[in-house]
Structure formats: C-alpha cells, structure tokens
Amino acid sequence: MLISQLCKEADFTAPWFAAACSKLREGFRYHRKLWEWCYIYQALRERGALMPFKRGLGFGVGKEPLAAAFASFGCEIVATDMDVEAAKAQGWVDTNQHAVALSDLNDRGLCDPDQFNHLVTYETADMNRISDRYIGRFDFTWSSCCFEHLGSIEHGKQFIVNQMNCLRPGGVAVHTTEFNLSSNEQTLETDVLVLYRLRDIDWMVQTLKAYGYKVDIDYTVGTGPIESYVDVPPFKLNPHLRLMLDRYVSTSVGLIIEKPK
Ligand SMILES: C[S@@+](CC[C@H](N)C(=O)[O-])C[C@H]1O[C@@H](n2cnc3c(N)ncnc32)[C@H](O)[C@@H]1O
C-alpha cells in the first residue's frame, strides 16, 4: 500500500492507521501530529525497515514514541535532539517537547526496558550541522514535525538533502513537516517556524530525484468534512487536520525518500 503524502481524513479510517495507533498506544483522534507519527511508522513498515539489526537515526525526537516502537522490532536506534539549552531558548522544554533523558523515550513501555536500553542511544545533534559520524551508517532516518523549525525555509531544504548522506545504499528516509494549503507564493517564515509551500516541497523532490533518489509524491488535497474543517486559535485540537497559522491554512506533509542499492 502506498500511503499519501498529505494528511488525509481517509487515512484515519484505514486499517494501517488503527494498527499504528495501537502499536504507539495512542488514542484515536483527528490530529495531524498523530497522523505524522503513524505515517512515519507505516512508511518504514511498508519498506521493511522495522526488522532486527536495522539501524535507525531519529532527528529532533522530542518525547515521541517512535524510537521505542522501532526498538521493539529489534532495530538499533540513535535518537537525537538539539542541545537542551538551545531547546529551552526555543520553548521546546517548557512545552514538554524535548527529551532530556533516554527513559523519556520509552515512558509508555512500548519496548521491553532491557531491550530498549540495549538498542537505543540518545545523542545531541543539530539538524543544521549533521555530524560526519552519522554518514553512511543507517538503514533509515526519520523526523516528525522538525525541519520547519530550523531557522529558515532554506535550512529545511538543506537538511532534507544532507540527511540522505546518513543512509546506506538501500536505505529510506521519512520526514514530515507543515504544508501551506493557502498559497504557493506567500508563506510564513520566522526564526522558529516556517510553512512550506508546494514549490518548496517540489524543489526538495526534484533535487532529491536529481541525486538519483526515489521519491513518491501525491499532493492531492482531500475534501471530506473533517479535513475541510480549519482549527483556529485557541485550537480545539480535534479535529485538527488543518489549522490556521498566521493567515495560512496548513496541514502536514510527508516525504518518503529511498536511496538506491
Ligand atoms: C515540534 S517539536 C517535535 C518533537 C517530536 N519530533 C514530536 O513529533 O513530538 C520540534 C523538535 O525539533 C527539535 N529541533 C528544533 N531545532 C532543531 C535543530 N536545529 N536540531 C535538532 N533538533 C531541533 C526540538 O528540540 C524539538 O524536539
């Protein structure tokens, strides 16, 4: 099954979505962040990445449950996030979205604790300066809701291209971000948050393809009643597949990028 790239109402009623929620011990709700986690999980499962001895690298993991879920399959995981002082300055610590200890990543008990401690390591890593020590070492990489926070549209574009160097031949990268449904011209770009337009995502797709990577992309926008609802501040959060950010309607988009063998 090929999952679509934009957060869609139909995904929430698909069997793969229920299976992913169950694995991640997430209650069902129409929320784009839940879609991002389930999307990453499903994309990696479909490509055979979640198997014993496969090596995964997570960027900006915060307190997401994915590292523990992947380790429960026997994957060796390097979970990374930015330096805690920098994260505090950007508000990620106050909003409980930054991991300070390895055990934070298995607080739902998704992985047997001994297996988790054996397979998962936590490291500080700046997505804007990917360390040479990660180059060519991983079967998969992922990030959820992160590369829109790197300082500019350009920083996110460079991250998507650069992180491919961390993969071995045959590896797969899955990354989600925020997508501007209102305009392909005007957008939001601040130091802490950017909103990617179709043309920015398309730049990434074309650049990745020029390197010889495989990217499946489908920008079809759904028209169902739940996905047509736009949550506005103060957010009600369910449904929350589309939200108003500044003056733009946004949703989530994902990229699945495969490196040839
Ligand atoms: C919205 S939170 C998402 C956290 C987690 N991925 C999730 O889905 O819950 C954004 C994350 O990006 C991280 N981050 C922001 N800038 C970063 C950078 N330059 N390098 C690494 N991580 C960064 C933050 O520390 C935070 O964990």
Side-chain angles (χ1 to χ4, degrees), residues 33 37 60-61 64 81-82 92 97-98 125-127 144-145:
K33 182 85 167 235
W37 290 350
V61 294
E64 67 188 30
D81 207 330
M82 74 194 304
W92 302 118
Q97 293 185 87
H98 185 271
D126 184 348
M127 295 164 71
S144 152
C145 204

Side-chain angles (χ1 to χ4, degrees), residues 2 20 42 53 73 76 88 91-92 128 190 193 196 200-201 219 223 230 257:
L2 174 67
Q42 179 64 13
F53 309 114
F73 288 95
E76 293 172 33
K88 268 186 198 157
W92 302 118
N128 288 327
T190 71
L193 176 65
Y196 287 99
D200 302 312
I201 300 293
Y219 303 117
T223 56
V230 179
I257 314 150

Side-chain angles (χ1 to χ4, degrees), residues 32-33 36-37 40 59-66 80-84 86-88 90-93 95-99 122 124-129 142-151 155 159 176 178 191-192:
R32 67 166 193 92
K33 182 85 167 235
E36 293 190 29
W37 290 350
I40 292 168
F59 291 98
V61 294
K63 294 195 173 175
E64 67 188 30
L66 296 173
T80 71
D81 207 330
M82 74 194 304
D83 168 74
V84 67
K88 268 186 198 157
Q90 290 192 12
W92 302 118
V93 175
T95 54
N96 201 28
Q97 293 185 87
H98 185 271
Y122 177 81
T124 293
D126 184 348
M127 295 164 71
N128 288 327
R129 285 175 206 81
W142 84 90
S143 71
S144 152
C145 204
C146 284
F147 76 80
E148 65 271 39
H149 299 298
L150 300 184
H155 279 88
F159 166 75
T176 59
E178 300 193 43
D191 290 349
V192 288

